[in-house]
Amino acid sequence: MVIVANVDGETEGEVVLDGLGFAESPRWRDGALFVPDWAAGEVHRVGPDGRAEVVARCASFPLCVDLDAAGTLLLVSSGTSELLRQELDGTLAVHADLSSAGSPPWNEVLVGPDGTAWVDAIGFAFPDGDPRPGYVVAVRPDGSVVRAADDLMFPNGMALVDGRATLLVAESYRHRITAFDVRPDGGLDGRRVWADLGEGTPDGVCADSEGALWYADVPAQRCVRVREGGEVLDVVTTDRGCFSCVLGGDDGRTLFVVGQRWGGPDEGASGRVLAVRVGVPGVTGAA
């Protein structure tokens, strides 16, 4: 059972997908939910009728995705240090070579409305866990790649707020959300702490229409909604680690939470997608 602890009390969530190897990096676009399964190297699309189908395959761990303003699927192939683009015939083409600006493992990708994509690099190689700083690169629409921000401790989920003028980056190992001003060329300036989360460990994130941020927390098995400054507004608790979340549904008020019982890539098929109703909708349109 999923318990949503917020100002309105408690409610149950609905299981949307179950039995995935490692669910992560969900995205909502045009009435459909996209969910990568890192363990299987597959991207699932759940349509309006609730049916799931595999729409892309790429052997990568991590395997994060996003969609651009035209609905084109972009995938991070961490092992080959490439940002891939799905063509109309379903094949994958190289959109950008990330190796010129850094090294794997590559993690999350976020695409802005002008086609600029930000991709973060964790900063250490699995499975040694040696904490070294990571960074964010900006991939321009022409495929050129530049280093946009450095010294991030396990950069994870990203979101755009303030009319897409501010990029938020979850720093898992610093237990905070870091903000940057977005330059017209996709570069990042004005680094600052947007929210100190105390003991919170942010993974995937999503923004809502009030400028607040939901972040998934693996060790705490919950998703937390915070405003700038770190005030906690709502909490969704589950029975397994929460790795990411996205707002969607017909009215934007469904929070899709992805998670699993974390014991490493070989844990087994405990990946699950849950849908819970929340009060504030997500940001409409492309990222």
Side-chain angles (χ1 to χ4, degrees):
M1 179 182 295
V2 181
I3 302 299
V4 182
N6 55 31
V7 294
D8 298 320
E10 297 181 349
T11 186
E12 294 184 14
E14 175 188 357
V15 177
V16 176
L17 276 178
D18 207 356
L20 299 177
F22 194 96
E24 252 279 16
S25 183
R27 296 294 187 266
W28 178 268
R29 180 59 56 83
D30 298 330
L33 178 69
F34 294 82
V35 183
D37 183 341
W38 290 9
E42 298 173 339
V43 180
H44 296 260
R45 178 186 180 274
V46 183
D49 60 359
R51 295 184 180 181
E53 61 174 331
V54 175
V55 294
R57 289 182 169 87
C58 178
S60 178
F61 194 102
L63 174 60
C64 291
V65 304
D66 201 6
L67 296 96
D68 66 14
T72 301
L73 187 67
L74 297 179
L75 306 87
V76 177
S77 176
S78 184
T80 61
S81 292
E82 293 171 328
L83 182 61
L84 304 178
R85 178 185 67 251
Q86 187 173 52
E87 305 287 36
L88 292 177
D89 63 0
T91 60
L92 299 177
V94 177
H95 184 71
D97 180 359
L98 304 175
S99 63
S100 62
S103 59
W106 299 96
N107 193 24
E108 289 278 355
V109 56
L110 177 70
V111 186
D114 68 345
T116 298
W118 294 275
V119 183
D120 57 32
I122 295 171
F124 69 82
F126 291 115
D128 64 16
D130 180 24
R132 297 189 294 272
Y135 43 87
V136 175
V137 301
V139 180
R140 298 185 177 117
D142 63 1
S144 60
V145 183
V146 295
R147 188 78 73 97
D150 286 294
D151 189 29
L152 295 162
M153 293 305 294
F154 205 125
N156 231 313
M158 295 178 285
L160 290 167
V161 295
D162 301 332
R164 305 184 177 99
T166 302
L167 179 73
L168 302 182
V169 181
E171 287 194 78
S172 297
Y173 281 6
R174 287 190 173 127
H175 305 279
R176 70 189 185 192
I177 305 297
T178 298
F180 296 91
D181 298 325
V182 178
R183 298 200 311 254
D185 64 355
L188 302 174
D189 289 323
R191 177 178 181 147
R192 58 198 179 275
V193 176
W194 189 83
D196 185 336
L197 305 177
E199 296 182 355
T201 304
D203 199 312
V205 302
C206 65
D208 66 27
S209 60
E210 292 185 353
L213 192 76
W214 283 96
Y215 74 86
D217 189 323
V218 177
Q221 299 187 160
R222 64 182 188 172
C223 286
V224 183
R225 180 174 178 249
V226 296
R227 70 168 83 249
E228 184 174 5
E231 179 187 355
V232 174
L233 304 174
D234 297 282
V235 179
V236 173
T237 61
T238 78
D239 64 350
R240 64 200 65 201
C242 296
F243 282 73
S244 193
C245 55
V246 68
L247 286 161
D250 292 341
D251 60 0
R253 288 182 167 86
T254 298
L255 183 71
F256 295 97
V257 180
V258 300
Q260 40 266 317
R261 295 184 175 91
W262 175 237
D266 300 323
E267 170 69 19
S270 67
R272 174 176 288 179
V273 182
L274 301 160
V276 295
R277 297 291 291 167
V278 296
V280 180
V283 180
T284 59

